[in-house]
Amino acid sequence: MTDPSTSESHYFSSNPPPPTLPQHTAQANAFVTHHHAHSRRVVLLTSGGTTVPLENQTVRFIDNFSAGTRGATSAEYFLSQGYAVIFLHRQFSLLPFSRHYSHSTNCFLDFLSEWGRIGEGDEGEDGGAATPDVVVKAKYRREMLSVLRKYRKAKEQKLLLLLPFTTVTSYLFTLRAIAREMRCLGNEALFYLAAAVSDFFVPPDRMAEHKIQSGDVPESTSGASPGGGGKKLVIDLDPVPKFLKRLVEQWAPEAMIVSFKLETDPALLLKKCNQSLDRYAHHLVIGNILATRKYEVLFVEEGSAQWVRLPTSDDKSGGSEEVEIESLIVPEVIKRHEKMLLKRAATG
Amino acid sequence: MTDPSTSESHYFSSNPPPPTLPQHTAQANAFVTHHHAHSRRVVLLTSGGTTVPLENQTVRFIDNFSAGTRGATSAEYFLSQGYAVIFLHRQFSLLPFSRHYSHSTNCFLDFLSEWGRIGEGDEGEDGGAATPDVVVKAKYRREMLSVLRKYRKAKEQKLLLLLPFTTVTSYLFTLRAIAREMRCLGNEALFYLAAAVSDFFVPPDRMAEHKIQSGDVPESTSGASPGGGGKKLVIDLDPVPKFLKRLVEQWAPEAMIVSFKLETDPALLLKKCNQSLDRYAHHLVIGNILATRKYEVLFVEEGSAQWVRLPTSDDKSGGSEEVEIESLIVPEVIKRHEKMLLKRAATG
């Protein structure tokens, strides 16, 4: 077992880096360099849950509940406020823009209909004058057009970089690499850590190679193995090192860093947020409760705690659009980032 | 701890049924009644991985690796062969038809472009003569049109019923309820169990109510709690009862039942398939290896084992379309279903 005090460097030396790391690092480097040259602020936004594989050839894994709604929604608001966004997300979790349609209970095919017109405007590739058009139905058109235009603008202006992860190990390696690439941005860099990161993992030397068999005799070296009765399964996990400390102190010492804390017990929320702030000495913890996270969050900073809440339905002015709480969270975060920039400019 | 020999009825009495059960049962009843009246065969197809929550207010869970590709793809081939399909799937896993676009590395918004024409054909709802159309780009149009037409046909003729699950408990309750609804179909019913079902679970009386805290003292009653060191996590799981036995013997005694076996170690595959067949005495086990599951599967029946493989690239006749192995699996399964129907008709 690793000693927690030195476990973080041990973690990176004893776990294999993800094969995608060189490519993702190069993409982040090009992205940061481009926006740094244009004096644009960059936010690294993490989103979705990390997995903890229980076998090397992974059939089973532990996951953290997160569809990626907070991250994908926040990314759109950061883009609308002029930030360039590196979106480090769990593979197949919600993405900015496509989130409006992808995890819908309606299949997106329900938005489409065919419409037989003469093939003008064809690009000819399929010789398709006889092929009807496939069009978005009129009642969905206006909203789809709005989403499509924002998506294309972000894409054409290279304001959004999508980088996927799956395991907690690939998440941590990639986070460290991107943070290093972002150091040149100084305090123009913002970290908005909305991903649900595992607190525990199975170290490689205790990981089963193959799918754990329900009837097998336990292997003595296995982190997860059927228990003594031959039928129960006991999974034995080590703590993931507290990477946030290293991020704040070494990887991104000048950046603004915002973390999230998800709890289920309201009585614990403020205490856990304050603990996190005490321990890592970063700038802001946004606390939220599983059951109410779409309506209220708690901003905890040194010496203050403030709820950010959606207006209740009584207060609503009858607008038909649903207000997303990220439309309140992101401007509040940006206000604090700007205050920090002004303060450092004044003292720097 | 439950005694495995009587654990199955205990499982259903000690775990709460999912809140969706009455609604899903009613939907299955209407679906089966409709197709039974039209003498159409019905397949219950399960797809995607089941979760095992570690807390009642679930932040963490154990999952089984499965995007739902096998199930979603197979469903399309069953539909094309005239079966009505109940698609019992993990929420947000791949669905028939939309699978072609939803988990793509390309965002589906990349398939769309706007095209400004005079607003003829508008349904007027948004007064949208000035709103440009949103159309599928010409190069994707032909394939999208083909998918859209099949999807709409299945929908209009009510050939496809989509029922979601998340936890292993909700999966098992729903499977049992649907199987009972399908008994009226006799041997016209087919079960194609492609879901990746957990072998282990945390019994409700050992489940933590709130998110497990990494620094807490363990609760003695908890199925998952930080270990003795106060920093490690030990998860203690019980075996899920072997529901397949009950399905074969009691819930669906006349139906044809096909199960899947996923392994990572090729040396174990045939043995595990034969074990399953011996234990449950159902009709067919389709074995597959994680690394090669898209190219080959092993059909194991009483007294025979036969590989079903995609032709290698040398054998291909140069067609540009990629062949999906489910286009071979499903007809092989249907051939066996038909043989069984003929045999029973002859002896019945």
Side-chain angles (χ1 to χ4, degrees):
Chain A
M1 189 188 162
T2 55
D3 170 10
S5 62
T6 59
S7 62
E8 193 243 84
S9 54
H10 180 75
Y11 183 88
F12 286 110
S13 63
S14 64
N15 282 281
T20 50
L21 189 62
Q23 186 205 329
H24 288 169
T25 307
Q27 286 178 275
N29 175 281
F31 188 85
V32 169
T33 305
H34 174 78
H35 293 294
H36 188 38
H38 290 77
S39 304
R40 192 174 280 121
R41 293 180 206 150
V42 178
V43 57
L44 173 63
L45 202 159
T46 69
S47 183
T50 65
T51 70
V52 177
L54 300 181
E55 300 121 343
N56 270 327
Q57 297 197 45
T58 307
V59 173
R60 299 191 185 89
F61 54 91
I62 299 179
D63 204 346
N64 273 50
F65 167 81
S66 172
T69 311
R70 179 81 80 216
T73 309
S74 298
E76 291 181 23
Y77 291 105
F78 275 111
L79 288 166
S80 75
Q81 299 292 311
Y83 280 69
V85 177
I86 301 177
F87 191 69
L88 182 60
H89 65 284
R90 165 71 172 276
Q91 188 180 31
F92 303 137
S93 66
L94 291 173
L95 296 177
F97 306 113
S98 75
R99 74 177 172 101
H100 297 275
Y101 308 100
S102 56
H103 282 203
S104 162
T105 43
N106 286 327
C107 175
F108 87 93
L109 291 167
D110 288 327
F111 293 99
L112 301 177
S113 64
E114 63 179 276
W115 189 60
R117 66 176 171 86
I118 307 303
E120 51 189 325
D122 276 11
E123 288 158 36
E125 192 168 316
D126 60 0
T131 309
D133 260 343
V134 180
V135 304
V136 171
K137 289 175 184 170
K139 63 178 166 178
Y140 304 117
R141 192 195 305 157
R142 185 179 290 204
E143 198 207 321
M144 182 81 86
L145 194 63
S146 160
V147 172
L148 183 62
R149 284 175 176 172
K150 287 182 204 158
Y151 170 72
R152 293 182 61 175
K153 183 187 164 205
K155 207 175 157 179
E156 282 160 15
Q157 300 187 7
K158 295 180 179 150
L159 292 167
L160 177 60
L161 177 62
L162 304 178
L163 298 179
F165 65 80
T166 304
T167 67
V168 64
T169 305
S170 65
Y171 170 82
L172 291 176
F173 269 100
T174 312
L175 176 67
R176 181 175 70 162
I178 300 173
R180 287 171 173 173
E181 296 300 328
M182 287 172 72
R183 284 196 67 168
C184 63
L185 298 164
N187 53 19
E188 301 275 335
L190 174 61
F191 288 75
Y192 185 90
L193 305 171
V197 182
S198 316
D199 294 317
F200 302 97
F201 78 113
V202 181
D205 57 355
R206 294 216 310 272
M207 183 104 77
E209 176 60 22
H210 285 295
K211 185 183 178 187
I212 300 158
Q213 298 294 330
S214 51
D216 283 2
V217 177
E219 295 174 38
S220 58
T221 54
S222 176
S225 62
K231 288 291 183 186
K232 285 169 73 88
L233 179 71
V234 177
I235 305 173
D236 181 9
L237 301 134
D238 276 4
V240 169
K242 300 300 182 186
F243 71 92
L244 194 49
K245 192 170 188 63
R246 197 59 72 100
L247 179 70
V248 173
E249 291 177 359
Q250 295 185 10
W251 305 343
E254 292 185 82
M256 172 158 176
I257 295 174
V258 182
S259 71
F260 283 77
K261 198 89 201 160
L262 177 71
E263 294 294 332
T264 62
D265 184 353
L268 282 182
L269 186 63
L270 181 59
K271 183 183 134 196
K272 300 293 293 183
C273 289
N274 272 321
Q275 268 180 5
S276 179
L277 213 55
D278 286 349
R279 188 171 296 164
Y280 308 116
H282 58 306
H283 305 89
L284 172 64
V285 180
I286 302 180
N288 50 158
I289 296 291
L290 188 64
T292 60
R293 69 196 187 284
K294 299 198 172 174
Y295 315 105
E296 56 178 23
V297 300
L298 183 62
F299 272 54
V300 180
E301 296 165 282
E302 205 187 331
S304 89
Q306 175 199 334
W307 284 99
V308 172
R309 287 193 173 99
L310 282 186
T312 61
S313 49
D314 288 352
D315 302 344
K316 271 184 189 165
S317 53
S320 64
E321 294 292 300
E322 214 175 291
V323 182
E324 298 174 313
I325 192 164
E326 291 79 8
S327 73
L328 306 179
I329 296 174
V330 170
E332 284 292 330
V333 169
I334 293 177
K335 207 165 40 172
R336 285 159 177 80
H337 192 199
E338 283 172 347
K339 202 186 276 180
M340 183 180 126
L341 289 171
L342 282 171
K343 203 167 146 191
R344 293 216 186 149
T347 60
Chain B
M1 188 187 165
T2 55
D3 170 9
S5 63
T6 59
S7 62
E8 193 240 86
S9 54
H10 179 76
Y11 183 87
F12 285 110
S13 63
S14 64
N15 282 281
T20 50
L21 189 63
Q23 185 205 330
H24 287 169
T25 307
Q27 286 178 274
N29 176 279
F31 187 86
V32 169
T33 305
H34 174 78
H35 293 294
H36 188 37
H38 290 77
S39 304
R40 193 175 280 121
R41 293 180 206 152
V42 178
V43 57
L44 173 63
L45 200 158
T46 69
S47 183
T50 65
T51 69
V52 177
L54 300 181
E55 300 121 344
N56 270 328
Q57 298 197 45
T58 307
V59 173
R60 299 191 186 90
F61 54 93
I62 299 179
D63 204 346
N64 273 49
F65 167 82
S66 173
T69 310
R70 177 82 78 217
T73 309
S74 297
E76 292 181 23
Y77 290 105
F78 275 112
L79 287 166
S80 76
Q81 300 291 313
Y83 280 69
V85 177
I86 301 178
F87 191 69
L88 181 61
H89 66 283
R90 164 72 172 276
Q91 189 180 30
F92 303 138
S93 67
L94 291 174
L95 296 176
F97 307 113
S98 76
R99 74 177 171 101
H100 296 275
Y101 307 101
S102 56
H103 281 203
S104 161
T105 45
N106 286 327
C107 174
F108 88 92
L109 291 167
D110 288 327
F111 293 98
L112 302 177
S113 63
E114 62 179 277
W115 189 61
R117 64 177 173 87
I118 306 305
E120 50 190 325
D122 276 9
E123 286 159 38
E125 191 167 318
D126 60 0
T131 309
D133 261 341
V134 180
V135 303
V136 171
K137 290 175 184 170
K139 62 178 166 178
Y140 303 116
R141 191 196 303 158
R142 183 177 292 203
E143 197 206 321
M144 181 81 85
L145 195 63
S146 160
V147 172
L148 183 63
R149 284 176 175 169
K150 288 182 205 159
Y151 171 73
R152 293 182 61 176
K153 183 188 164 205
K155 209 177 155 176
E156 283 160 15
Q157 301 187 7
K158 297 183 177 145
L159 292 167
L160 177 60
L161 177 62
L162 303 178
L163 298 178
F165 65 80
T166 304
T167 66
V168 63
T169 305
S170 65
Y171 170 83
L172 290 176
F173 270 99
T174 312
L175 176 67
R176 182 175 69 162
I178 300 173
R180 287 170 174 173
E181 295 300 328
M182 287 173 71
R183 284 195 67 167
C184 64
L185 297 165
N187 54 18
E188 301 275 334
L190 174 61
F191 288 75
Y192 184 90
L193 306 170
V197 182
S198 314
D199 295 316
F200 302 99
F201 78 114
V202 181
D205 58 354
R206 293 216 312 272
M207 183 105 75
E209 177 60 22
H210 285 295
K211 183 183 177 186
I212 300 158
Q213 298 295 329
S214 51
D216 284 1
V217 176
E219 294 173 40
S220 59
T221 54
S222 177
S225 62
K231 289 290 183 185
K232 286 168 72 89
L233 180 72
V234 177
I235 305 173
D236 182 9
L237 300 134
D238 276 5
V240 169
K242 299 300 181 188
F243 70 91
L244 194 49
K245 191 169 188 63
R246 199 59 72 102
L247 179 70
V248 173
E249 291 176 1
Q250 295 185 11
W251 304 343
E254 292 185 84
M256 171 158 177
I257 295 175
V258 181
S259 71
F260 282 76
K261 198 90 202 159
L262 177 70
E263 294 294 331
T264 62
D265 184 353
L268 283 182
L269 186 64
L270 180 58
K271 184 184 134 195
K272 301 292 293 184
C273 290
N274 272 321
Q275 268 181 6
S276 179
L277 213 56
D278 285 349
R279 188 172 295 165
Y280 308 116
H282 58 305
H283 304 88
L284 171 63
V285 180
I286 302 180
N288 49 159
I289 296 293
L290 189 63
T292 60
R293 69 196 187 284
K294 299 199 172 175
Y295 314 105
E296 56 178 22
V297 300
L298 182 62
F299 272 53
V300 180
E301 296 166 281
E302 205 189 329
S304 87
Q306 175 198 335
W307 284 98
V308 173
R309 288 194 172 99
L310 282 187
T312 61
S313 48
D314 289 352
D315 302 344
K316 273 184 189 164
S317 53
S320 64
E321 295 292 298
E322 213 176 291
V323 181
E324 298 173 313
I325 192 164
E326 291 79 8
S327 73
L328 306 180
I329 295 174
V330 171
E332 284 292 329
V333 169
I334 293 177
K335 206 168 32 175
R336 285 159 177 80
H337 192 200
E338 283 173 348
K339 203 185 275 179
M340 182 179 127
L341 289 171
L342 282 171
K343 202 167 146 191
R344 293 217 186 148
T347 61

